[in-house]
Amino acid sequence: MPVTSTTSSDAAGSTPTGSGAPEAPFAVGGDSGSDPKVTDVRERLAAAYQASAVAPEKAQAKLDSQGKLYVRDRIAMLFDEGSFVEDARYANATAKGLPADGVVTGRGTVDGRPAIVIANDPTVKAGSWGARTVEKIVRATEMALREELPVFWFVDSAGARITDQVEMFPGRRGAGRIFHNQVALSGKVPQICCLFGPSAAGGAYIPSFTDLIIMVEGNASMYLGSPRMAEMVVGEKVSLEDMGGARMHCTVSGVGDLLVGDDTEAIEMARLYFSYLPANWRSDLPSYAPEEPSAPLTRHTVPERESQPFDIHEVIDGLVDDESFFEIKPLFAPELVIGFGRMSGETVGIVANNSMVKGGVLFTDSADKAARFIWLCDAYSIPLIYLADVPGFMIGSEVERGGIIRHGAKMVHAVSSATVPQFCIIVRKAYGAGLYAMGGPGFGPDATIALPTARIAVMGPEAAVNAVYANKIAAIEDPAEREQFVQDMRREYEEDVDLERLAADLVLDQIIEADALRAELLLRLRYAKARERHFATKRRDIPPV
């Protein structure tokens, strides 16, 4: 999790527009020469404007009890001060109790870069969707598609209003169009979701189509069917938190990416995440002032014994600029670490095995986690650095029944098809298909670089000797003779995959000490910028499911 932000403190802390909102932009009342009809229009519009300017007293009290911000205060924290322009504020103005029809849409700038916001107002019918709510959201996504603008989704909604279902659900401009447009936006512009409250039923798919889901613990939830519905339909009694709470989704299901404490932290994380990304797929990545790492790598950072676990974050922190690592999904499948960092002020994506957790073995969840992150980096032209310390994929009946082959294939598919610069760093072990999943030589990385601690093989020496000579080992009765035979076979195996031999056979492009790795990568990243961005000519991939 990042500690500091490069975003503008002035922008992040701009004056909220909720309780301190400006007066309606109408001259209410008239003089003796005023047309009564015009005066009436002005008064009604002013009332409609003020109805969504602040939360009603009772609704504000509920927000306060939940530790939530009013929707306009959330938006004020997102955008640079004075930059927000709102669309369709008077939606459903003629209906009582539906100011702006429960959603605020418009555009502003985030650190000077234009973006769109779509923000549910939970004080209006619990943020539920009516026909005009959906139309406003569809129009905002259409604007994002036309102008290739990033979208911030501020979700806090109980779902569809059953009373409006015919008008808002099935048609060509019904709720389904929102998801259609989100898919069209995917990979074209960043879509960032702050989930402040519920995202229920079909509406739960809005966050799922975004690039990043930030969930507020204790308030945020996602579910297709409520606990009450689950009990009624399938007979299951379950709490909302266990069914679809923020912590569950960030630790178990993997749907959530970041777990935060409150609305303010969620918006700060959204702004910080955006600072690593381009405005759209055509734009350049943002650049920042170069900084040195917080703790430079040394020759002693990586333990020489491959059986000794260590925290791969130490290597990451030694590669990236000071406190610039932004980890994604830190609570889900932590045996694999993913996230953005800056190297000399430029964004890179990092995929790293962490031997401190489950030995760094790849499971179905870690493969899924990696695959999506690699696709995201490829979409936004972010170079990838793989830090391999992996025994391979997990084995056993449980993971086979869980589909580890198809999940692992997703990761290998992502590595294969990515066209951004990719660098494979063999930190220690890279065994079996783990080498492939971590962007090994066969996948055309811009370079495969090994530390002196590296080992590359089909499997580790102990497993290999046992696999090949199991019967012969069992037949040797004398324990000392048996142990000597095993040691001889291990030594022979290790000589066969000697690091110098791998370099001599051009498997490795470079062997380097850890303290020189950052400088080496910075040079190679600079030279790789002009690489060809093409993988294969065809209509599309058919990724493993």
Side-chain angles (χ1 to χ4, degrees):
M1 189 67 64
V3 177
T4 59
S5 167
T6 56
T7 55
S8 165
S9 59
D10 290 340
S14 57
T15 304
T17 57
S19 58
E23 294 296 323
F26 304 101
V28 180
D31 51 35
S32 58
S34 299
D35 185 328
K37 293 181 179 178
V38 175
T39 299
D40 176 60
V41 168
R42 283 179 172 145
E43 289 176 348
R44 284 187 284 112
L45 289 175
Y49 184 95
Q50 287 301 128
S52 68
V54 296
E57 186 176 344
K58 184 177 178 180
Q60 185 61 54
K62 182 177 181 181
L63 291 177
D64 293 342
S65 70
Q66 296 173 317
K68 289 183 176 184
L69 298 174
Y70 183 50
V71 62
R72 297 188 181 280
D73 296 343
R74 292 168 176 171
I75 292 171
M77 289 193 67
L78 172 67
F79 288 131
D80 302 338
E81 188 171 1
S83 69
F84 179 56
V85 177
E86 184 172 354
D87 294 320
R89 181 161 184 158
Y90 300 100
N92 233 352
T94 57
K96 186 177 180 180
L98 292 172
D101 211 37
V103 66
V104 179
T105 60
R107 64 165 75 192
T109 60
V110 179
D111 283 342
R113 296 194 290 170
I116 285 173
V117 71
I118 299 168
N120 299 124
D121 182 353
T123 70
V124 179
K125 301 288 186 183
S128 59
W129 295 3
R132 291 167 184 82
T133 318
V134 170
E135 178 64 21
K136 286 176 69 171
I137 297 173
V138 169
R139 290 187 186 189
T141 56
E142 288 173 342
M143 185 190 304
L145 282 166
R146 281 195 310 270
E147 302 182 37
E148 296 192 344
L149 293 175
V151 183
F152 288 83
W153 296 85
F154 284 4
V155 178
D156 195 344
S157 171
R161 295 177 207 148
I162 300 300
T163 54
D164 284 24
Q165 64 174 319
V166 174
E167 292 81 8
M168 57 76 62
F169 175 68
R172 291 179 179 270
R173 293 188 70 80
R177 195 67 186 179
I178 298 171
F179 308 141
H180 175 278
N181 289 352
Q182 278 191 280
V183 174
L185 287 165
S186 178
K188 183 185 287 286
V189 300
Q191 295 186 80
I192 302 167
C193 175
C194 290
L195 190 50
F196 300 113
S199 184
Y205 285 107
I206 279 187
S208 72
F209 288 123
T210 65
D211 303 337
L212 185 83
I213 303 174
I214 303 168
M215 302 186 73
V216 178
E217 188 164 21
N219 283 335
S221 61
M222 298 172 66
Y223 50 86
L224 298 183
S226 68
R228 186 190 309 168
M229 186 178 293
E231 182 176 0
M232 182 177 66
V233 176
V234 300
E236 179 187 15
K237 290 188 176 182
V238 62
S239 69
L240 176 60
E241 185 60 33
D242 289 339
M243 168 76 80
R247 181 163 290 274
M248 187 284 289
H249 278 308
C250 289
T251 59
V252 179
S253 75
V255 173
D257 295 299
L258 294 175
L259 185 67
V260 298
D262 56 27
D263 290 10
T264 299
E265 186 182 1
I267 296 166
E268 288 172 349
M269 289 296 102
R271 287 173 58 95
L272 183 55
Y273 173 85
F274 184 50
S275 75
Y276 290 86
L277 297 174
N280 56 56
W281 70 290
R282 302 178 197 271
S283 301
D284 293 332
L285 292 166
S287 295
Y288 296 84
E291 296 185 30
E292 292 301 310
S294 56
L297 293 175
T298 72
R299 298 185 182 192
H300 306 293
T301 302
V302 179
E304 294 184 2
R305 287 175 46 239
E306 70 171 56
S307 60
Q308 179 181 342
F310 84 107
D311 192 345
I312 198 65
H313 289 90
E314 296 177 25
V315 176
I316 296 170
D317 290 342
L319 287 177
V320 302
D321 296 359
D322 184 27
E323 295 186 342
S324 71
F325 185 55
F326 187 103
E327 186 168 355
I328 298 171
K329 293 188 185 294
L331 303 178
F332 177 73
E335 66 274 9
L336 189 85
V337 177
I338 60 171
F340 299 131
R342 294 194 178 97
M343 294 185 65
S344 194
E346 306 291 331
T347 302
V348 296
I350 293 174
V351 179
N353 310 115
N354 193 4
S355 62
M356 285 289 288
V357 183
K358 300 178 182 177
V361 176
L362 291 167
F363 287 79
T364 54
D365 285 344
S366 40
D368 282 353
K369 175 178 173 177
R372 192 166 191 273
F373 180 70
I374 294 165
W375 285 324
L376 185 147
C377 288
D378 196 41
Y380 299 125
S381 301
I382 298 172
L384 280 157
I385 296 172
Y386 302 90
L387 300 175
D389 184 10
V390 58
F393 283 89
M394 190 60 185
I395 60 173
S397 62
E398 183 178 350
V399 292
E400 294 293 358
R401 290 167 67 89
I404 196 163
I405 293 173
R406 62 186 174 88
H407 288 278
K410 264 187 277 193
M411 185 174 178
V412 174
H413 179 282
V415 171
S416 302
S417 59
T419 61
V420 290
Q422 299 186 83
F423 298 90
C424 176
I425 315 302
I426 313 297
V427 177
R428 291 198 301 186
K429 55 195 173 293
Y431 293 154
L435 172 67
Y436 297 164
M438 295 300 291
F443 294 80
D446 291 71
T448 302
I449 302 171
L451 302 185
T453 48
R455 289 186 177 186
I456 298 176
V458 171
M459 61 184 74
E462 186 175 343
V465 170
N466 186 66
V468 176
Y469 299 107
N471 292 335
K472 190 168 183 177
I473 292 170
I476 300 174
E477 296 182 0
D478 181 64
E481 182 182 348
R482 186 189 309 123
E483 178 61 24
Q484 185 61 50
F485 175 79
V486 170
Q487 293 300 325
D488 290 344
M489 294 303 99
R490 285 190 63 173
R491 183 165 51 254
E492 183 179 301
Y493 183 82
E494 289 171 352
E495 289 172 356
D496 191 47
V497 292
D498 176 69
L499 203 59
E500 184 179 18
R501 177 185 172 179
L502 292 174
D505 289 347
L506 305 184
V507 172
L508 300 172
D509 297 297
Q510 178 66 288
I511 303 174
I512 197 168
E513 292 285 3
D515 53 12
L517 181 58
R518 174 177 155 97
E520 177 89 7
L521 280 171
L522 285 173
L523 282 173
R524 291 182 180 274
L525 283 163
R526 185 189 308 165
Y527 300 145
K529 280 187 175 181
R531 70 166 294 166
E532 174 68 23
R533 292 291 306 273
H534 177 74
F535 174 59
T537 302
K538 52 187 173 182
R539 291 198 186 279
R540 62 159 298 142
D541 295 333
I542 306 173
V545 176

